[in-house]
Amino acid sequence: MQTTKTSVIGAINMLGLAKRLKAKIFQASTSEVYGDPSLHPQPESYRGNVNPIGPRACYDEGKRCAETLFFDYFRQHNLRIKVARIFNTYGPRMHPNDGRVVSNFIVQALKGAPLTLYGDGAQTRAFCYVDDLIEGLLRMMAASEAATGPINLGNPVETSVAELARLVIDLTGSRSKIVRRPLPIDDPIQRCPNIAQAQALLD
């Protein structure tokens, strides 16, 4: 409930503020709006495959509703908006316990603990280095006002989660083993952005 409230009420509050101040406003949306996609890679035109009553729905649907609000304010109030759909990002100073797969694996490997692999590990993610993402965000904000988005920002190269686990073990010199757990409900099998729009509009 708190996750949904943060996305929806947070968007309403900030959009109201931007309207009063006549400010341009950016939404950090997410690839999770695509759910467990049936189209691969995911273009912005794809409407997604989201389970609205599943355990991940609070985040997925919260972000989808926030996008709705942004475009309603754009249409009704001519608000200057920018919406980016951010794919998996990693880099320095990630919180060790933030629950992301990169930091999870690194922390487990450094502790010599088993690396937790959900399912068979064949599910893919596309990991974007944070500096590249920030450059994309800055270019998007500097682009013409017609470039409202949503625009996918991320790395178009896929990596399997099993491949990532082996890479982390190799790079850390860890003796950690890999343990398998059941795949969580609604966990996406493939996640990779089509970034043709970002390449065309933001170079």
Side-chain angles (χ1 to χ4, degrees), residues 32 35 85 92-93 100 102 112 131 164:
E32 298 296 330
R85 291 177 176 165
R93 293 181 292 280
R100 296 172 188 268
V102 172
D131 290 5
L164 176 68

Side-chain angles (χ1 to χ4, degrees), residues 109 115 163-174:
L115 271 64
E163 186 183 349
L164 176 68
R166 289 190 293 271
L167 182 64
V168 168
I169 288 172
D170 289 345
L171 290 174
T172 57
S174 176

Side-chain angles (χ1 to χ4, degrees), residues 137-153:
L137 299 179
L138 291 172
R139 288 185 184 210
M140 188 170 180
M141 290 301 281
S144 76
E145 290 187 8
T148 58
I151 293 179
N152 289 337
L153 292 179

